[in-house]
Amino acid sequence: MAEITLKALAHTYLPDPRSPEDYAIREMDHVWHQGGAYALLGPSGCGKSTLLNIISGLLEPSSGEVLFDGEVVNALPPEARNIAQVFQFPVIYDTMTVYDNLAFPLRNVKTPEARVHERVMEVAEVLELTAQLKRKAKNLTADEKQKVSMGRGLVREDVSAILFDEPLTVIDPQLKWKLRRKLKEIHQRFEITMVYVTHDQLEASTFADKIAVMYEGQVVQFGTPRELFERPNHTFVGYFIGSPGMNFLEVTSRDGRVMAGDIELAVGQGVHDAVAGARSTHIKLGIRPEFIEVHDAPVEGGMEARVDHAQDLGTYSIVYLTLGSIALKARIEEDQVTPTGKAWLRFPDERLGLYVDEYRVEIDHE
């Protein structure tokens, strides 16, 4: 196992980069602690796979350093880093049996055959592959092949880390949940440093203790699934995490009031002071659909909104609203009356996030 440190790391595929936009990875510092289960989450093109390939040694960074347990490994090839990588599509030998596929990485480093057998059987049991050990890999289903590919990474005891690059892409949706839980169990059993790349927030939350959210070549937040949901550090995190994502309202301070367009927002003094004190013209308030209070009759501090429509999802509904000229989404539970025509909204101060130039700033509610 290893602690992986990225120090002033940056990468570009262009020979003569001139701006931050020319970098697939913008300069970053980051640490993956030994034995942790991490997810690297973000949309296509944000730099996730580039970063993973730099860590594994498949790609040398344009600048900065990659350190394993404090030692710079920039010049080391993947095999010298003791990294196992599992890709989107299974990397196995179709003509070999499942047993021989799992044994191959150990035999390749001259592991005694008794230990090879012991380790193969242990990993096969964990991945529920014991019944397939004598079968040729070419006869397996897609999910079985991917489990074999994962097993090839797990079987080595000297591996520093296992890197997963969207490994469930080819897996039947009904089996994805089971495999995600299986990976979590494997991590808890073997305590190997694992980094899991995905664009799926559910996969990330199921697998990882901490998630690094990437946006435009940068890690914009690193935290637990709960932290990302309740206190997104960047507007992108608020938008990307949650279903539906966070509501954002562009606001200004005008004549002692907090305004969203032509609508005065009913907010407390702490929120008003934070908006008024922001040294930017790019200010937003963010609130999760789950945290908007929706009433079907006027209430004190309520802001009147138009109800456009509601989407019944069984145990809850998503209500689509217009406040002034601003479109909002709110979530209400199944035991709550779904308003029609008009609704009155309240934004609890403690649930509001203030974002200046896209990044969260603290609000003093006292």
Side-chain angles (χ1 to χ4, degrees):
M1 296 183 290
E3 178 176 274
I4 302 170
T5 303
L6 312 178
K7 189 174 180 181
L9 189 78
H11 187 74
T12 180
Y13 293 100
L14 301 178
D16 186 25
R18 298 180 181 273
S19 69
E21 289 73 24
D22 292 337
Y23 282 81
I25 302 293
R26 302 186 190 187
E27 187 171 307
M28 69 165 68
D29 296 280
H30 194 72
V31 178
W32 311 98
H33 293 289
Q34 180 173 303
Y38 302 107
L40 193 56
L41 175 67
S44 298
C46 72
K48 305 186 302 294
S49 293
T50 295
L51 184 57
L52 206 69
N53 288 336
I54 288 172
I55 294 171
S56 70
L58 294 174
L59 190 64
E60 187 170 348
S62 302
S63 60
E65 295 176 332
V66 180
L67 300 95
F68 282 20
D69 291 332
E71 297 293 326
V72 178
V73 297
N74 286 39
L76 293 183
E79 58 271 20
R81 299 186 189 194
N82 286 332
I83 286 285
Q85 193 159 358
V86 180
F87 298 93
Q88 290 184 17
F89 301 99
V91 179
I92 59 175
Y93 297 105
D94 276 345
T95 57
M96 286 186 181
T97 64
V98 171
Y99 184 101
D100 288 336
N101 264 284
L102 295 176
F104 184 84
L106 296 174
R107 290 169 173 164
N108 204 38
V109 292
K110 306 293 190 291
T111 304
E113 198 61 31
R115 183 55 185 158
V116 170
H117 180 74
E118 183 181 339
R119 189 65 178 171
V120 166
M121 297 306 292
E122 182 181 11
V123 170
E125 180 187 359
V126 170
L127 288 170
E128 299 178 0
L129 287 170
T130 305
Q132 282 78 40
L133 285 174
K134 295 181 180 180
R135 294 178 64 190
K136 295 285 188 181
K138 65 181 178 181
N139 297 323
L140 301 178
T141 63
D143 64 294
E144 288 171 337
K145 287 183 178 181
Q146 191 62 299
K147 286 200 289 186
V148 174
S149 187
M150 292 176 185
R152 284 163 56 87
L154 288 167
V155 74
R156 286 175 52 197
E157 295 176 278
D158 65 339
V159 70
S160 298
I162 303 180
L163 311 179
F164 298 93
D165 193 354
E166 306 210 35
L168 303 184
T169 300
V170 299
I171 304 302
D172 185 287
Q174 294 182 349
L175 296 170
K176 284 187 177 183
W177 184 86
K178 185 176 181 180
L179 281 180
R180 285 197 298 265
R181 295 304 307 163
K182 182 59 65 177
L183 282 176
K184 187 73 172 176
E185 292 171 16
I186 288 167
H187 176 260
Q188 291 169 347
R189 179 165 176 172
F190 294 110
E191 296 184 340
I192 301 170
T193 305
M194 292 184 176
V195 182
Y196 186 106
V197 164
T198 180
H199 62 273
D200 185 322
Q201 59 176 293
L202 180 59
E203 283 190 11
S205 298
T206 304
F207 169 77
D209 299 322
K210 283 195 171 183
I211 300 171
V213 182
M214 285 196 72
Y215 176 63
E216 294 185 343
Q218 294 178 302
V219 173
V220 290
Q221 187 168 0
F222 183 57
T224 64
R226 183 171 182 173
E227 288 168 345
L228 299 182
F229 182 81
E230 294 189 352
R231 296 181 60 81
N233 190 51
H234 189 278
T235 54
F236 175 76
V237 180
Y239 162 79
F240 196 68
I241 300 292
S243 181
M246 201 170 201
N247 297 292
F248 289 101
L249 302 85
E250 293 189 9
V251 297
T252 57
S253 177
R254 189 190 313 160
D255 301 325
R257 301 178 297 170
V258 174
M259 306 294 295
D262 294 328
I263 297 294
E264 179 182 358
L265 300 182
V267 296
Q269 191 62 44
V271 176
H272 173 268
D273 291 346
V275 172
R279 296 181 178 180
S280 174
T281 57
H282 192 194
I283 308 167
K284 296 177 182 177
L285 285 176
I287 187 166
R288 291 280 183 196
E290 291 82 353
F291 300 149
I292 295 178
E293 294 180 10
V294 181
H295 301 269
D296 60 353
V299 292
E300 183 180 353
M303 298 170 286
E304 186 178 315
R306 185 180 75 237
V307 177
D308 297 318
H309 69 280
Q311 183 181 12
D312 186 350
L313 297 174
T315 57
Y316 65 93
S317 293
I318 300 298
V319 183
Y320 294 78
L321 306 141
T322 301
L323 179 65
S325 60
I326 301 165
L328 299 172
K329 295 175 184 176
R331 171 172 165 158
I332 61 174
E333 300 307 314
E334 61 179 336
D335 58 352
Q336 184 179 348
V337 175
T338 302
T340 58
K342 293 181 180 180
W344 285 261
L345 313 179
R346 289 200 297 202
F347 300 162
D349 280 6
E350 68 275 11
R351 295 298 195 179
L352 282 168
L354 176 63
Y355 295 84
V356 178
D357 297 329
E358 308 302 339
Y359 281 90
R360 188 183 186 100
V361 299
E362 293 301 315
I363 298 173
D364 185 357
H365 293 293
E366 294 183 3

